[in-house]
Amino acid sequence: MSESEQGLADVQRAHWQQTYGDHPGMYGEEPSDPAVRAAAVFRTVGARKVLELGAGHGRDALYFARQGFSVLATDFSPAGLEQLREAAAAQDVAGRVTTAVHDVREPLPLANTSVDAVFAHMLLCMALSTQEIHALVAEVRRVLRPGGVFVYTVRHTGDAHYRCTGRRASSRSPHRTGTVITGQCARCSNPWTTDPSRMPV
């Protein structure tokens, strides 16, 4: 990881650590719609062990556990994962949930073919370079068993947050001028950048 990439990773990590600290359970207790759909897919392929990347405070990991899956929930925010562990104990699913502080820019701390399914809700939209996304997907492939599934979500041009007010910091095209603008989304508080090398693929 280059020095500038490490700096961006540090800023993003600090942002989420503070966000989860300031707003415990900020996404609520109900699972995301993609997690509900993913659980159905996981059952179809006979999955038992699920890895969630970027689990945050765990609403989806907890849902998977309540559905009977064994879940390894990873995130680079210890604050979010602490909230997840507390909720798992309160919901009596702590025996099916393991957490690990992990930055997806690093290799996954798992053996080859050790999980049946992987879930990543909006993680690939974070400030990751194309190279980092390719490396992460290669790691997902490495840890998935043959026939396993990777369910992920990403933003698209029809998404409500795609052109949110926070991204309109400049009307100049960064591709024409070479200007790189970074900031924080005014709606969802996610850090963003117009650096083409860090745009999601």
Side-chain angles (χ1 to χ4, degrees), residues 1-86:
M1 185 183 310
S2 73
E3 189 174 318
S4 64
E5 289 169 338
Q6 182 62 54
L8 186 58
D10 291 344
V11 166
Q12 193 175 32
R13 184 179 298 106
H15 163 78
W16 284 109
Q17 183 70 357
Q18 180 176 348
T19 298
Y20 287 126
D22 292 348
H23 308 284
M26 64 185 277
Y27 293 113
E29 294 182 9
E30 294 299 313
S32 66
D33 289 340
V36 173
R37 293 180 181 158
V41 172
F42 297 163
R43 280 190 292 272
T44 300
V45 300
R48 292 188 312 266
K49 296 180 181 177
V50 174
L51 167 65
E52 183 178 0
L53 303 171
H57 69 80
R59 65 178 179 156
D60 293 335
L62 293 166
Y63 174 74
F64 295 142
R66 290 192 305 268
Q67 296 299 304
F69 298 103
S70 174
V71 184
L72 171 58
T74 67
D75 199 278
F76 62 13
S77 168
L81 293 177
E82 178 61 29
Q83 292 168 29
L84 192 164
R85 287 189 296 275
E86 290 170 2

Side-chain angles (χ1 to χ4, degrees), residues 126-176:
M126 295 295 117
L128 300 169
S129 68
T130 300
Q131 180 180 356
E132 288 167 336
I133 291 171
H134 289 179
L136 173 57
V137 171
E139 277 293 286
V140 167
R141 179 177 291 209
R142 179 184 67 77
V143 302
L144 269 176
R145 67 162 168 80
V149 293
F150 178 25
V151 177
Y152 64 93
T153 59
V154 293
R155 296 229 183 269
H156 59 88
T157 57
D159 191 297
H161 295 286
Y162 180 76
R163 294 205 185 274
C164 60
T165 57
R167 291 183 66 140
R168 296 182 188 150
S170 171
S171 60
R172 294 179 296 163
S173 165
H175 298 284
R176 283 198 306 256

